[in-house]
Amino acid sequence: QVQLVESGGGLVQPGGSLRLSCAASGSISSIYTMGWYRQAPEKQRELVASITSDGNINYADFVKGRFTISGEKGKNTVLLQMNNLKPDDTAVYYCKLRMPRMSIWGQGTQVTISS
């Protein structure tokens, strides 16, 4: 059974930073994509950033230059470093693991940007 455990959300002021972590456990394929999505109230869930098992990275335009995704392959963990956070970044952030035969979502972690 594959599980994802997320951590690192919280409340920060505009301009602040947070780092999210997503650890996958269980039977993980050697080929996968791990990504971070977010969903603000009354909005659709949207991709923030993703990284593949061979290191290809993709960012949404609204986070380029502010967020960095990285993977700790040996640990099946993906990190999302978020800098220069803005109130519009407030959302529940979800980790997603996509493998050839299945996809799984994490439980979500709240990120709130407010002064």
Side-chain angles (χ1 to χ4, degrees):
Q1 184 177 0
V2 179
Q3 290 185 323
L4 298 178
V5 177
E6 301 156 341
S7 62
L11 170 65
V12 296
Q13 294 184 342
S17 298
L18 282 173
R19 188 175 76 166
L20 304 182
S21 175
C22 175
S25 62
S27 181
I28 309 297
S29 168
S30 61
I31 300 174
Y32 60 81
T33 300
M34 290 187 77
W36 285 98
Y37 292 72
R38 70 186 188 186
Q39 187 166 18
E42 301 183 357
K43 292 189 177 180
Q44 290 188 334
R45 192 172 296 188
E46 59 186 357
L47 174 68
V48 175
S50 64
I51 183 167
T52 65
S53 50
D54 59 358
N56 290 319
I57 290 174
N58 181 45
Y59 292 105
D61 287 344
F62 54 78
V63 302
K64 286 181 179 177
R66 300 189 299 127
F67 293 9
T68 302
I69 191 169
S70 60
E72 297 181 332
K73 193 170 184 177
K75 299 181 180 179
N76 291 324
T77 297
V78 63
L79 304 174
L80 184 69
Q81 178 66 42
M82 306 186 294
N83 298 328
N84 190 21
L85 284 160
K86 305 174 181 180
D88 284 349
D89 294 318
T90 296
V92 178
Y93 283 69
Y94 296 90
C95 179
K96 180 182 180 181
L97 169 64
R98 180 164 57 89
M99 297 184 290
R101 295 190 176 187
M102 68 172 291
S103 294
I104 184 171
W105 291 91
Q107 78 282 1
T109 184
Q110 178 69 46
V111 171
T112 302
I113 315 305
S114 176
S115 55

